[in-house]
Amino acid sequence: MGSKQNYKILVVDDEPDILEILQYNLEKEGYGVRVAANGRKGVEEARSFLPDLILLDIMMPEQDGVETCRQIREIPELQNVYVIFLTARAEEYSEIAAFEVGADDYIVKPIKPRALMSRISALFRRESKKKKSSSKISIGDLIIDRNSYTVSIKDQQVVLPKKEFELLYFLAQHPQKVFSRDDLLQNIWGSDVYVLARTVDVHIRKVREKIGEGFITTVKGVGYKFELN
């Protein structure tokens, strides 16, 4: 998907002013946009709209954003959708909870529309470049296919959200090389996204839970590396 007209964005927030501002600015940029005023409606819209990106509030009536994100990630067609939290919750535990359920980014309100538009545009540009350089990595029983965003081990498919997949793929591209948390944040999340270093640990743990402990090892005091088993 090269042009903005091909990208679809869902905005889920209970504040009408924010929905209106974001919808206006996103449509002005050329994106296809839908909005939802609560978490339950957000899941319904996500299922029917199949967006490329979801902008999601945390504190909402009926169902909060963390639970909404968890439910969205359980929909097979939305395993790899980008999810950016836009929230007034600045506490570290809220951010960690968001990444635990599969968030790709976490932005604290108040929102600066122009900065957000630039961030979204940069995200889609990076995605386009990655698709052009897609390839498959096979290491023993583990197969990582960048074209289809799929992972299989011993012929069993493993479902990884986008950032978990990108983290595994990046490490597997550089076996035996140790990367610090800062290196991984820079290469997976980019310099225009601010997330905690703890986010890397959360994603590594979740990848290990799905593919096993033996592929990614911790180098104490340094970072992580992919092992050739």
Side-chain angles (χ1 to χ4, degrees), residues 4-10 26-27 30-34 49:
K4 291 181 179 179
Q5 286 80 5
N6 291 327
Y7 287 111
K8 300 185 294 184
I9 299 176
L10 172 64
L26 289 166
E27 289 180 342
Y31 299 112
V33 183
R34 283 194 194 175
F49 188 44

Side-chain angles (χ1 to χ4, degrees), residues 153 204-218 225 227 229:
I153 182 165
I204 291 287
R205 175 173 58 78
K206 293 173 83 69
V207 171
R208 284 171 169 165
E209 288 173 357
K210 294 169 183 175
I211 68 168
E213 297 284 337
F215 292 100
I216 301 174
T217 60
T218 303
K225 69 175 179 177
E227 296 282 3
N229 294 326

Side-chain angles (χ1 to χ4, degrees), residues 179-188 195-197 200 222-223:
F179 292 92
S180 69
R181 290 173 178 82
D182 287 342
D183 291 333
L184 294 172
L185 285 172
Q186 176 71 28
N187 282 281
I188 307 304
V195 291
L196 299 170
V200 174
V222 183

Side-chain angles (χ1 to χ4, degrees), residues 123-182:
L123 182 153
F124 285 139
R125 281 199 305 272
R126 287 199 304 272
E127 177 67 9
S128 180
K129 288 179 182 178
K130 287 173 183 174
K131 286 183 177 180
K132 289 177 182 177
S133 60
S134 295
S135 61
K136 182 184 290 187
I137 297 174
S138 298
I139 300 173
D141 294 325
L142 180 68
I143 299 173
I144 310 166
D145 190 340
R146 191 69 175 73
N147 288 307
S148 59
Y149 265 91
T150 57
V151 176
S152 63
I153 182 165
K154 296 181 180 178
D155 296 323
Q156 297 295 314
Q157 187 162 324
V158 179
V159 177
L160 298 181
K162 189 177 291 288
K163 281 293 182 284
E164 291 175 27
F165 178 93
E166 290 177 354
L167 183 58
L168 173 62
Y169 184 82
F170 177 78
L171 288 169
Q173 278 185 305
H174 308 89
Q176 307 301 141
K177 182 175 179 179
V178 181
F179 292 92
S180 69
R181 290 173 178 82
D182 287 342

Side-chain angles (χ1 to χ4, degrees), residues 15-151:
E15 297 183 50
D17 290 348
I18 288 180
L19 288 179
E20 184 178 349
I21 290 169
L22 290 179
Q23 183 170 15
Y24 170 79
N25 281 277
L26 289 166
E27 289 180 342
K28 187 178 177 182
E29 290 290 311
Y31 299 112
V33 183
R34 283 194 194 175
V35 299
N38 62 64
R40 292 188 188 280
K41 185 64 175 174
V43 175
E44 294 174 9
E45 287 288 351
R47 193 186 301 274
S48 62
F49 188 44
L50 297 179
D52 301 288
L53 168 67
I54 298 173
L55 301 176
L56 182 61
D57 189 21
I58 285 186
M59 295 186 293
M60 293 184 291
E62 297 190 40
Q63 182 171 287
D64 68 23
V66 172
E67 175 61 19
T68 298
C69 184
R70 186 189 67 76
Q71 291 183 17
I72 285 170
R73 288 300 190 203
E74 290 178 348
I75 300 170
E77 297 87 351
L78 296 171
Q79 291 287 344
N80 294 315
V81 64
Y82 281 104
V83 177
I84 298 178
F85 275 86
L86 304 177
T87 176
R89 301 290 296 269
E91 309 93 345
E92 181 177 344
Y93 68 82
S94 293
E95 184 171 346
I96 291 171
F99 284 113
E100 283 275 5
V101 293
D104 294 292
D105 198 356
Y106 190 97
I107 301 173
V108 177
K109 295 177 180 177
I111 298 165
K112 298 177 181 177
R114 288 181 63 186
L116 179 61
M117 297 305 113
S118 295
R119 202 156 175 165
I120 291 170
S121 182
L123 182 153
F124 285 139
R125 281 199 305 272
R126 287 199 304 272
E127 177 67 9
S128 180
K129 288 179 182 178
K130 287 173 183 174
K131 286 183 177 180
K132 289 177 182 177
S133 60
S134 295
S135 61
K136 182 184 290 187
I137 297 174
S138 298
I139 300 173
D141 294 325
L142 180 68
I143 299 173
I144 310 166
D145 190 340
R146 191 69 175 73
N147 288 307
S148 59
Y149 265 91
T150 57
V151 176

